[in-house]
Amino acid sequence: MKFISEFDINIRAKAALILVSTPEESRLMNEIEAYAANTERDLIGWDICAGFVSLRGKTAPAGGRDPLSALDQIEKAPDDRAALYVLHDFDAFWENPTVKRKLRVLSRTLRQTRKSIVLTGVTDELPVELAADAVRICYELPDAFEINAEIDRLKLQPGSALRLSETGRERIVRAALGLTAAQARHVFAKAIAASGALSDSDIASVSEEKKKILREVEALEYSDANETIRDVGGLDVLKEWLNSREKAFGADASAYGLPTPKGIALLGIPGTGKSLTAKMIGHHWQLPLIRLDVGALFGSLVGESESRVRRALKIAERIAPCVLWIDELEKALAHGGSDSGTSARVFGSILTWMQEKKSDVFVVATANDIAALPPELLRRGRFDEIFFLDLPTRSERREIFAVHLEKRRRLPESFDLDRLAGASAGFVGSELEQAVIDAMYAGFNDGQREFTTDDILAALRRQVPLSVSRREAIQRLRNWLKEGRAQSASVPAPDEDEAA
Ligand SMILES: Nc1ncnc2c1ncn2[C@@H]1O[C@H](COP(=O)(O)OP(=O)(O)OP(=O)(O)O)[C@@H](O)[C@H]1O
Ligand SMILES: [Mg+2]
């Protein structure tokens, strides 16, 4: 539902306390001012610096720079006309028990009046004491239509111009989705300042600016990955699944009645290509790939991280269709115990969102510490599929060697791939890659001669694979797979020679 219709319904239902969380105070105030004008309500703003300010209709109560006396003033103000009192950044006072109590009382007494209080703030935290009495309305980021309107509203100085083709305009709007209106305006203004015009050639710089903003402000990282499906060796079951879902985001799929895919979890042994696969999916499906930095989500303020994760998920929904990569999911839980349940709640927000989401955000969650993951995460229905990435089979190792030789501009045919695959049981993809690199150094340092199969074999012998050095941990992971809790990402090789 559009914000203003939800707001209207609540006001008409005599909600006395409405919380709107948004970093976009001015855009929100424009909407509320228009609403007050359309419904002939008085509108009074308040913040800690200016006290009360009349925005429409009646004169503002005097003074009241202190939050508690401001609430007193609202209580005492005459009830001759319908009025909205918008109190800014009131979440700054959540530590104050008197303020909370007063709000709670007002939430009941004001219901008999024509006065309503709107609280705005950046976080969407609401003290438990108020949870039952206040209504929380979500203020969404601007959609494509609204970003378009921002372009129309740009104030062009003499000598600067808009030079966007029709498709250029569509693409620049898309590039700005996920930003607030003010951020989008600023990004457009920067492009105009740089070249005197906003034109099709600014699409790239707008999307660069967005990446920068999301990284700095929101713990979201745009990934410019260009890994293709050919850069991933083996994992045929997983690849086939991805191919079968490739068209799932299109209009055809939804017309057919297919549900939008929710996402997949990639679990398993370190170095087997979980992160690599996540990066490849975005590129393979030609969707933007955004990485949610779980570690960076944990801010210093209590409760802040929950707001942040909700905001990050909202941004992903605006950018949709996209792939949201939640890397090292178990890190969300590593904080457990020490922070009074914050990480559990952050984790909970992600799970609830995944359960309920209707948007075209495909989640790829990766983790290698399965023991740390709560069982509810892996419940059916949360993900479309849970894949386990095991030690690569012999034929997979052969493919992985070929991938990494080709990546270094060598012909795989000039190497004895069968011997390499045979000699590397128990090695994971990252270790095979390392062996190729070590062999290259050996050749390079030996008078820059071309490196050979034997160099790679020697490098393999020098390395102790994780499956040996951390045998118990790896074995635990593999047993977990055998218990059937996940689908193997690879085609099984029954006559395998795995020693691990
Ligand atoms: N199946 C594979 N095919 C090709 N390369 C691979 C494969 N698996 C791993 N690699 C190589 O190893 C590197 C590291 O792999 P990646 O980061 O994807 O491992 P991971 O499973 O995410 O490990 P971790 O659990 O430690 O995060 C990749 O960048 C890639 O070069
Ligand atoms: Mg990884």
Side-chain angles (χ1 to χ4, degrees):
M1 194 176 357
K2 271 274 179 215
F3 165 77
I4 213 67
S5 12
E6 197 177 351
F7 186 76
D8 177 51
I9 287 174
N10 279 294
I11 294 285
R12 284 192 286 142
K14 295 223 162 282
L17 217 52
I18 298 177
L19 176 81
V20 187
S21 66
T22 173
E24 298 193 85
E25 193 177 285
S26 60
R27 188 164 72 96
L28 171 69
M29 285 314 287
N30 288 342
E31 287 204 47
I32 294 184
E33 281 182 51
Y35 173 80
N38 289 338
T39 57
E40 308 210 337
R41 282 182 161 76
D42 288 349
L43 181 63
I44 294 109
W46 180 92
D47 69 53
I48 192 150
C49 296
F52 285 108
V53 177
S54 168
L55 300 170
R56 187 178 186 280
K58 76 168 57 141
T59 48
R65 293 243 299 257
D66 162 72
L68 204 58
S69 70
L71 295 176
D72 274 333
Q73 299 275 14
I74 295 174
E75 188 175 30
K76 288 194 208 113
D79 188 30
D80 48 342
R81 287 160 50 82
L84 294 173
Y85 293 86
V86 183
L87 314 182
H88 297 293
D89 296 335
F90 227 65
D91 46 0
F93 312 114
W94 288 160
E95 300 296 309
N96 183 334
T98 328
V99 166
K100 282 192 285 195
R101 180 68 207 164
K102 184 81 196 173
L103 274 172
R104 204 166 167 196
V105 171
L106 284 180
S107 76
R108 271 175 248 129
T109 54
L110 291 192
R111 212 164 282 163
Q112 322 302 325
T113 71
R114 286 184 287 174
K115 295 181 264 190
S116 293
I117 295 179
V118 181
L119 307 168
T120 75
V122 176
T123 67
D124 61 358
E125 304 305 325
L126 193 60
V128 275
E129 297 92 323
L130 295 173
D133 301 307
V135 177
R136 217 191 310 207
I137 307 182
C138 174
Y139 191 63
E140 304 282 350
L141 287 167
D143 59 14
F145 181 82
E146 286 158 305
I147 299 267
N148 231 312
E150 287 302 332
I151 295 183
D152 288 330
R153 279 198 288 267
L154 286 173
K155 290 195 187 59
L156 295 172
Q157 303 298 327
S160 59
L162 268 189
R163 271 199 291 277
L164 286 167
S165 68
E166 200 175 318
T167 49
R169 188 169 174 133
E170 256 169 49
R171 290 180 55 203
I172 216 160
V173 164
R174 245 208 94 66
L177 280 181
L179 295 177
T180 66
Q183 287 165 340
R185 250 186 337 260
H186 180 68
V187 167
F188 296 147
K190 259 176 101 170
I192 294 175
S195 64
L198 186 62
S199 65
D200 291 9
S201 60
D202 291 315
I203 296 168
S205 70
V206 167
S207 89
E208 273 314 307
E209 286 286 328
K210 173 166 82 177
K211 286 176 197 171
K212 217 167 85 193
I213 291 172
L214 294 189
R215 190 171 55 235
E216 283 164 10
V217 187
E218 309 287 357
L220 280 177
E221 195 160 336
Y222 247 78
S223 175
D224 288 314
N226 43 21
E227 273 81 2
T228 69
I229 206 156
R230 297 198 49 212
D231 292 317
V232 182
L235 310 181
D236 287 343
V237 175
L238 172 55
K239 285 178 186 166
E240 197 174 317
W241 190 93
L242 291 173
N243 280 331
S244 74
R245 296 296 199 280
E246 184 174 358
K247 301 264 179 318
F249 289 108
D252 291 347
S254 70
Y256 191 86
L258 285 174
T260 19
K262 289 174 186 296
I264 54 176
L266 303 177
L267 312 174
I269 300 173
T272 45
K274 298 183 293 295
S275 301
L276 174 69
T277 306
K279 287 185 264 181
M280 171 270 273
I281 296 174
H283 190 260
H284 188 56
W285 286 351
Q286 302 194 345
L287 294 177
L289 173 71
I290 330 170
R291 179 168 170 270
L292 177 65
D293 187 339
V294 175
L297 269 178
F298 290 89
S300 50
L301 293 171
V302 177
E304 193 198 23
S305 23
E306 289 161 84
S307 278
R308 289 186 71 178
V309 75
R310 280 194 287 266
R311 222 162 51 222
L313 298 176
K314 288 234 166 317
I315 292 174
E317 293 194 316
R318 262 297 175 254
I319 297 172
C322 64
V323 176
L324 179 67
W325 169 25
I326 309 180
D327 198 18
E328 309 194 329
L329 186 61
E330 71 273 18
K331 293 237 170 92
L333 294 157
H335 300 250
S338 60
D339 63 353
S340 62
T342 302
S343 52
R345 284 199 302 274
V346 165
F347 205 76
S349 322
I350 298 179
L351 293 190
T352 318
W353 173 80
M354 281 188 58
Q355 188 99 339
E356 293 168 358
K357 89 181 168 61
K358 302 233 161 25
S359 53
D360 288 347
V361 179
F362 185 81
V363 177
V364 180
T366 55
N368 65 37
D369 186 2
I370 290 163
L373 298 175
E376 65 265 28
L377 173 75
L378 304 173
R379 216 174 57 210
R380 288 276 143 188
R382 196 83 73 181
F383 290 100
D384 296 312
E385 196 63 76
I386 298 167
F387 288 104
F388 184 92
L389 282 74
D390 201 353
L391 294 176
T393 63
R394 180 195 282 259
S395 71
E396 286 183 313
R397 294 193 299 271
R398 194 178 191 285
E399 272 184 50
I400 296 172
F401 272 120
V403 165
H404 286 289
L405 288 167
E406 252 173 54
K407 237 177 154 173
R408 276 130 198 127
R409 301 192 309 277
R410 298 303 194 282
L411 284 175
E413 298 82 66
S414 355
F415 293 81
D416 189 343
L417 295 180
D418 289 325
R419 255 180 90 201
L420 290 174
S424 54
F427 284 70
V428 293
S430 61
E431 292 162 341
L432 301 180
E433 178 181 21
Q434 197 51 52
V436 171
I437 294 172
D438 288 349
M440 290 180 79
Y441 273 111
F444 183 78
N445 291 337
D446 186 13
Q448 302 196 22
R449 65 168 172 80
E450 186 54 3
F451 68 103
T452 63
T453 301
D454 284 331
D455 291 317
I456 304 178
L457 288 170
L460 284 172
R461 279 194 296 274
R462 282 195 299 273
Q463 244 191 93
V464 180
L466 217 59
S467 64
V468 172
S469 63
R470 291 187 48 211
R471 181 184 294 271
E472 285 79 31
I474 303 291
Q475 198 50 50
R476 220 173 330 115
L477 279 171
R478 302 188 78 196
N479 289 340
W480 190 88
L481 168 69
K482 290 204 190 86
E483 285 162 26
R485 277 182 275 204
Q487 153 107 45
S488 170
S490 313
V491 178
D495 52 348
E496 253 314 308
D497 53 353
E498 304 302 355

